[in-house]
Amino acid sequence: MTAPHIHPVTETQKEMVLDTIGQVALVEQRNNKIQDFIKLKCLFLQQGLEVWQSEYNPGGWTAPWLLKILVTSQFEHSIDATNHEQKLRDEFKRIQSLSGCSCVPFCAPLIQDGEQVVLPIRMPRGVPLNIFEVDKQTTYQLLEILRRSVTGLQQIHRRGYTIGGWADNCIFISEDADVEFIDIKDSLNTSEDIKAYAQAFLSLAEKTLQPRIYQWYRAAANGSTIDLDAIRCDLSALIDLGVCDTLPQKVEIEKGAVIDHHYRLDHFISATSRSQLWRALHIQGNYPCCVSVYQDVDNQWHTLSNMYRSLAKIYHPHVERVLAFGQLPQSDDLFIARDWVQGVGLDEVQTIEVGQPRLWFVQLLTALQYLHSLDIHHGAICPKNIICRDEKATLVNFGIGSDIAATHYAAQYADPTLWSVEGDAEKDLYGLVASFIDAMAPESIKQGSSADAMLRALEQYDKQWLGEAFYDACYKILKFEMRIVPNVSYAKQLGLDEQELENSGL
């Protein structure tokens, strides 16, 4: 076309040119196809290493795949090519060994044609974590994503591998809460892997606004916990028992306010500098309950979380039951919903029948024995936290802790010096004995509520009527001289009759 002269072109020349052009087109087409995989878009390219988005097209249907390609001829040194090829083969072996585990992508056999080694990996569903729209997900969806990711991580660890590849673009999440890890390197130990996992998913966990969840991820991200079983159980419990998506606006703690869509605050009971106690109504169930609200989630989290975990998993007829635990929206406040125990405080009982106080005492003593055996301590036993009705007494307000202890208990009963060095179990026993003496003895005998006043009141009781062994044990408890003997029942250590102990539950 650009020659200054016109030259005749023969048919033979014409056919040769067309054949050459056709061969170039075929070579290009062949280069873009590896067996039945058609390369569509190059995602990564670096000296012999390529990652391609492709589709599998054997005819009739297509499926998206990723191709990790190693072109050995493009490496400057053969030893580099050998090392990278070994890494690719190791990755194939890992994925094959993890076949069947959650969150592990499917891969096809290695392809090797002499010039290149190809590892086909099924394109993960969803989008990478760094572009996943967390704000558009419901609380349930976020919890399900976390549960599936934890389950997959556990299964991988149990096969003897770790992930190691925790970059945001290597974690894929789908709209159906499917999670896949596409860069399983096995380059970390288990503890390091859990820490890296928590760091990667922390922002997602915090969006749930469930303190039981995001506090674990914070702790794990700092390397202070590696307990995957605990978080998986908490996630399952929240999903199975049901949580509500949090309200967008802050809830004002006042009469008529609704907490967690379930609990309506009906009557204010008491408050301290850091907590409030309300009688509430479970709206759907139409039954009374009580709700405790605690300020400053970060400072109170550890104590309240342990208390809730402990009480939520046990049952004792003389211990209150907790119903729910969570964080108030747009706030740093926590709440705990509890069963409403019918009755009045020990110091408000109007009519007392003969034998009732002793029966109540034995019931609560058995409750303490059970709780202490599980390493659960009340920490603030006082007349206000012992609810009595007819033939039953119940310990309530676990977790109020130092607030109530300071206002109703430790400050007025125990010697502060002795109190500070005593064990948790001894404090609970002291509180139980002092509470009954304070509530039952007339003011003329006590002349106050100090430790000395409790001793003076006890000394007015007839040893024979109380029982000498029981009297002596109570006296030692009030003087912090009693040492609890392991594996021996509290009733026996306090000199109570076994028959009396058995009848206390009837």
Side-chain angles (χ1 to χ4, degrees):
M1 292 174 64
T2 60
H5 303 285
I6 298 175
H7 297 280
V9 178
T10 66
E11 289 298 322
T12 304
Q13 290 173 322
K14 209 181 272 188
E15 289 177 6
M16 184 184 70
V17 170
L18 291 175
D19 286 344
T20 302
I21 294 173
Q23 288 296 323
V24 170
L26 288 173
V27 169
E28 182 179 358
Q29 183 179 2
R30 188 164 59 246
N31 287 339
N32 285 331
K33 186 173 183 180
I34 301 174
Q35 291 188 1
D36 290 326
F37 296 98
I38 301 174
K39 295 192 290 187
L40 300 178
K41 181 180 179 182
C42 184
L43 305 178
F44 177 82
L45 180 62
Q46 183 181 23
Q47 189 189 356
L49 293 174
E50 302 176 9
V51 178
W52 284 80
Q53 181 180 340
S54 67
E55 68 177 10
Y56 182 68
N57 190 358
W61 63 280
T62 61
W65 285 72
L66 283 176
L67 298 180
K68 290 188 176 182
I69 303 173
L70 181 71
V71 183
T72 55
S73 60
Q74 294 182 6
F75 286 91
E76 294 182 2
H77 305 288
S78 60
I79 189 170
D80 292 336
T82 303
N83 290 337
H84 281 91
E85 181 178 343
Q86 187 59 48
K87 289 181 180 179
L88 199 64
R89 293 184 180 278
D90 290 342
E91 182 177 0
F92 170 69
K93 291 178 181 178
R94 284 195 295 271
I95 296 177
Q96 288 292 301
S97 299
L98 294 171
S99 177
C101 293
S102 301
C103 304
V104 176
F106 174 78
C107 76
L110 282 172
I111 300 172
Q112 187 170 16
D113 59 9
E115 295 181 358
Q116 58 187 7
V117 181
V118 183
L119 175 60
I121 299 177
R122 181 75 162 80
M123 177 69 80
R125 286 161 290 193
V127 296
L129 180 59
N130 58 333
I131 62 173
F132 181 67
E133 296 178 331
V134 178
D135 294 332
K136 293 185 178 180
Q137 311 303 311
T138 66
T139 302
Y140 285 105
Q141 287 173 314
L142 295 176
L143 292 173
E144 187 61 40
I145 290 169
L146 292 174
R147 179 166 69 168
R148 294 189 184 187
S149 67
V150 170
T151 302
L153 183 62
Q154 276 192 308
Q155 291 178 358
I156 292 170
H157 285 181
R158 286 169 181 168
R159 296 271 182 101
Y161 293 91
T162 59
I163 294 173
W166 290 108
D168 286 347
N169 60 343
C170 295
I171 302 169
F172 278 72
I173 301 176
S174 74
E175 293 181 355
D176 297 326
D178 292 315
V179 181
E180 288 190 68
F181 309 123
I182 66 168
D183 195 15
I184 301 176
K185 297 179 177 179
D186 195 29
S187 58
L188 304 173
N189 62 41
T190 302
S191 299
E192 293 169 343
D193 211 36
I194 294 174
K195 181 178 180 179
Y197 160 75
Q199 292 170 344
F201 281 85
L202 176 58
S203 60
L204 192 148
E206 289 179 334
K207 291 291 184 180
T208 67
L209 298 180
Q210 299 295 321
R212 292 169 64 183
I213 304 307
Y214 67 71
Q215 289 287 351
W216 184 92
Y217 279 85
R218 287 179 183 176
N222 293 328
S224 56
T225 183
I226 57 172
D227 191 351
L228 292 177
D229 282 326
I231 187 61
R232 186 173 58 80
C233 290
D234 278 347
L235 287 164
S236 297
L238 285 172
I239 293 170
D240 296 340
L241 298 178
V243 297
C244 294
D245 286 329
T246 54
L247 296 169
Q249 68 273 14
K250 183 176 180 179
V251 176
E252 297 295 334
I253 304 303
E254 59 187 10
K255 184 176 180 180
V258 176
I259 305 296
D260 196 36
H261 299 269
H262 289 109
Y263 309 99
R264 188 185 69 214
L265 304 182
D266 284 349
H267 176 70
F268 172 77
I269 299 175
S270 64
T272 67
S273 60
R274 294 186 300 171
S275 63
Q276 296 184 36
L277 183 62
W278 286 77
R279 188 182 70 196
L281 178 74
H282 190 283
I283 299 173
Q284 291 84 355
N286 195 35
Y287 60 82
C289 54
C290 61
V291 173
S292 300
V293 179
Y294 306 89
Q295 284 77 45
D296 195 3
V297 57
D298 289 330
N299 289 335
Q300 300 210 51
W301 165 255
H302 182 71
T303 300
L304 295 176
S305 172
N306 289 341
M307 185 279 298
Y308 176 81
R309 288 174 187 275
S310 300
L311 293 180
K313 297 174 183 177
I314 68 167
Y315 168 75
H316 193 283
H318 303 293
V319 175
E320 69 173 346
R321 301 185 70 180
V322 293
L323 307 175
F325 179 42
Q327 184 172 352
L328 298 177
Q330 310 299 322
S331 168
D332 286 334
D333 297 346
L334 293 172
F335 76 90
I336 295 182
R338 314 161 186 268
D339 187 21
W340 180 262
V341 180
Q342 298 291 338
V344 297
L346 182 62
D347 57 345
E348 298 174 357
V349 178
Q350 298 296 321
T351 304
I352 298 177
E353 298 179 6
V354 175
Q356 263 185 339
R358 194 177 182 96
L359 174 64
W360 293 335
F361 184 92
V362 175
Q363 290 175 346
L364 299 179
L365 190 66
T366 61
L368 285 182
Q369 174 93 56
Y370 176 57
L371 293 173
H372 291 175
S373 69
L374 301 174
D375 202 27
I376 303 171
H377 301 90
H378 189 289
I381 298 177
C382 65
K384 299 291 184 186
N385 291 337
I386 298 174
I387 303 301
C388 303
R389 184 185 185 189
D390 299 330
E391 305 302 317
K392 184 177 181 180
T394 307
L395 275 174
V396 300
N397 289 341
F398 285 76
I400 294 285
S402 58
D403 284 357
I404 296 298
T407 55
H408 292 297
Y409 176 37
Q412 65 176 353
Y413 287 160
D415 180 285
T417 304
L418 294 174
W419 178 262
S420 64
V421 297
E422 277 304 320
D424 292 331
E426 285 79 6
K427 288 179 182 178
D428 277 352
L429 288 178
Y430 184 99
L432 185 63
V433 173
S435 295
F436 272 83
I437 293 176
D438 190 24
M440 300 300 161
E443 187 61 38
S444 58
I445 294 177
K446 292 186 299 182
Q447 298 178 3
S449 297
S450 65
D452 290 339
M454 297 298 103
L455 285 170
R456 283 195 300 270
L458 179 61
E459 289 170 352
Q460 301 301 314
Y461 284 89
D462 186 345
K463 272 191 176 185
Q464 298 299 322
W465 180 69
L466 283 179
E468 288 193 22
F470 181 55
Y471 179 94
D472 291 341
C474 290
Y475 197 85
K476 287 182 179 180
I477 288 173
L478 291 178
K479 296 194 73 174
F480 284 122
E481 293 178 353
M482 182 175 179
R483 299 275 74 87
I484 296 175
V485 180
N487 303 320
V488 179
S489 71
Y490 286 174
K492 187 173 183 179
Q493 294 183 57
L494 267 66
L496 295 173
D497 182 72
E498 289 296 329
Q499 188 66 37
E500 185 178 13
L501 181 66
E502 293 177 7
N503 292 336
S504 66
L506 300 179

